[in-house]
Amino acid sequence: MYLKPLIRLSIFLFTLFLFSFSYKQRQSSDLKQSMDRGKELYMSYCLTCHMQNGEGIPGTFPPLANADYLMEDAERSISQIINGASGEMKVNGVVYNNVMPGFDMTDREIADVLNYIRNSWGNQGEVIAEEQIHEVRNK
């Protein structure tokens, strides 16, 4: 009597598990592709100031590697790539006061470069989607 509902529940839970696993694998694959594209953009736009491994130039350009400032506010990072940044910022306890220009990049390019930066050199960030860039750009 109770066997059929248990079987149905088991099938439902198993299907849910497979869907969840598949979604996570797809998301992981999407992140890897985004990071691959982002690495190329990083080499073109960011390397000069933030260096090959995101270590920056002490006292002049802040690090992106293991950077508390970068990781604590994704929206701020998006805005700074679009609009640039100037004035004091404290990164890993060190104050920097320089100018970063804004960049003329598409929403996808910004998402890709941020996915690369926020998931390299000890950083572990959530995936940045193009829609997030679009929202910040239109504020």
Side-chain angles (χ1 to χ4, degrees):
M1 177 180 247
Y2 294 107
L3 192 56
K4 278 189 173 181
L6 285 176
I7 291 172
R8 286 184 185 150
L9 179 61
S10 296
I11 292 171
F12 172 75
L13 291 174
F14 182 71
T15 304
L16 187 61
F17 169 77
L18 288 179
F19 175 76
S20 172
F21 183 73
S22 170
Y23 176 76
K24 286 179 182 178
Q25 280 195 320
R26 187 174 63 248
Q27 191 175 31
S28 176
S29 174
D30 291 346
L31 176 60
K32 182 181 178 339
Q33 291 173 1
S34 177
M35 288 178 64
D36 289 345
R37 292 186 305 264
K39 183 176 182 177
E40 295 298 318
L41 292 162
Y42 181 86
M43 297 300 176
S44 297
Y45 289 96
C46 314
L47 176 76
T48 304
C49 298
H50 296 289
M51 310 309 290
Q52 176 88 23
N53 295 314
E55 68 268 16
I57 299 175
T60 307
F61 299 113
L64 301 174
N66 290 304
D68 56 358
Y69 182 87
L70 169 72
M71 300 307 292
E72 66 189 16
D73 190 344
E75 187 173 314
R76 177 180 59 206
S77 297
I78 294 166
S79 179
Q80 288 178 332
I81 291 175
I82 295 168
N83 302 309
S86 62
E88 287 190 359
M89 66 177 67
K90 194 174 193 177
V91 181
N92 298 340
V94 178
V95 175
Y96 292 86
N97 191 357
N98 213 326
V99 175
M100 180 180 105
F103 296 98
D104 185 24
M105 300 169 79
T106 67
D107 292 351
R108 179 179 176 177
E109 289 172 329
I110 294 170
D112 289 344
V113 78
L114 279 174
N115 283 326
Y116 173 69
I117 292 168
R118 291 172 49 84
N119 289 283
S120 298
W121 319 302
N123 297 326
Q124 292 183 332
E126 293 183 13
V127 175
I128 301 293
E130 290 178 55
E131 295 78 20
Q132 290 172 267
I133 311 303
H134 184 76
E135 287 175 19
V136 172
R137 190 185 299 274
N138 291 312
K139 277 189 175 182

